[in-house]
Amino acid sequence: DVALILALDKSENIIGYIGLLPGKINNNTTQCANNSSGAGICCYSRYSTCKILIFDSEINQNINAGSTTNSSGGGIFSSSNIESYIDIKRSQVKGNLSPVSGGGIANFGGKSTINIVESNVSNNSSNNSGGGIFSQSSNSLIKIINSSINSNSLTSGSGRGAGLFCKASSFSSPSNVVISNSTFRITLL
C-alpha cells in the first residue's frame, strides 16, 4: 500500500484533489510536506483549496512519524488556509496513530468541512485531542450520518475529545456538528 501526498505550497487558485475510489491505504509510517503531518493521505496547501474524496475504501494502521508540536493526522490530514474538505463514504478509518491530534482524521482550514457517511472511524489514537477526528478552523462544518465513531482514544490524560474534537479559532463564525443515526462509544483510559 502507498501513501497519497499532495502538497501545493506555491500555487494559487488551484484546487488540489485526492481521490480514493475504492482502495486501501494501510500500514504506512510517514509524514507529509514540511509540517510533519499525515501518514496515510495528506493534502497540504497555503494558497489553494484541499479536497480529499474517499469512497468504499480503507485507511488503516497508518502511523504519523512526526515529532513536532504540529504532527497531526495519522490516517488522513488536510490543511489549507483557504478551504479544507474531506468527504468519506462507505469507508473505514481504523487503527491510525498521531503524536498530537487527529489519530484518524485531522482537518485544518480557513473553512473546514468533514462529511462522514455510512463509515466507521474506530480504534484510532492521538496524544492530545481528537483521537478519532480533529477539526480546527474559524468556520467548521462536520456531518456524521449513519456512521460509527467508537473505541478511539487519547494517550494523554490531559487530552480532549477521544472520538471527536472540534476547535473553532474564532467565535464570530459558528462551528456546526450534525450527527444523524450514528453510534458513538466512549473509551475511558
Side-chain angles (χ1 to χ4, degrees):
D1 297 322
V2 177
L4 295 176
I5 297 173
L6 175 62
L8 301 168
D9 274 344
K10 301 186 192 271
S11 303
E12 293 186 33
N13 301 320
I14 295 175
I15 297 176
Y17 281 98
I18 294 178
L20 186 62
L21 347 146
K24 294 182 182 181
I25 296 185
N26 299 329
N27 302 306
N28 291 290
T29 301
T30 188
Q31 54 195 30
C32 166
N34 294 323
N35 62 4
S36 299
S37 293
I41 295 177
C42 175
C43 184
Y44 172 76
S45 176
R46 286 186 271 177
Y47 309 109
S48 304
T49 297
C50 281
K51 291 193 176 194
I52 298 175
L53 309 173
I54 301 166
F55 304 141
D56 304 306
S57 298
E58 297 176 7
I59 309 340
N60 297 334
Q61 306 299 321
N62 298 287
I63 299 171
N64 180 331
S67 60
T68 71
T69 57
N70 295 326
S71 299
S72 298
I76 302 164
F77 175 84
S78 184
S79 178
S80 168
N81 290 340
I82 309 300
E83 180 180 7
S84 184
Y85 180 89
I86 299 173
D87 194 9
I88 302 171
K89 293 182 180 166
R90 299 174 306 278
S91 296
Q92 174 177 281
V93 179
K94 184 177 178 183
N96 300 287
L97 175 66
S98 174
V100 178
S101 59
I105 301 165
N107 198 21
F108 298 82
K111 180 180 180 187
S112 173
T113 302
I114 300 174
N115 292 316
I116 300 173
V117 179
E118 297 174 0
S119 296
N120 180 17
V121 179
S122 64
N123 296 67
N124 300 288
S125 181
S126 71
N127 187 46
N128 191 14
S129 299
I133 303 165
F134 178 89
S135 179
Q136 180 174 333
S137 168
S138 59
N139 185 359
S140 292
L141 174 62
I142 300 173
K143 291 183 182 179
I144 301 170
I145 301 169
N146 295 327
S147 296
S148 179
I149 313 296
N150 62 58
S151 300
N152 297 288
S153 63
L154 301 172
T155 56
S156 168
S158 62
R160 299 169 288 180
L164 168 66
F165 182 80
C166 181
K167 179 179 180 181
S169 57
S170 168
F171 291 105
S172 61
S173 299
S175 291
N176 300 299
V177 177
V178 177
I179 300 171
S180 174
N181 297 321
S182 298
T183 303
F184 281 78
R185 185 168 60 190
I186 297 172
T187 302
L188 300 175
L189 297 177

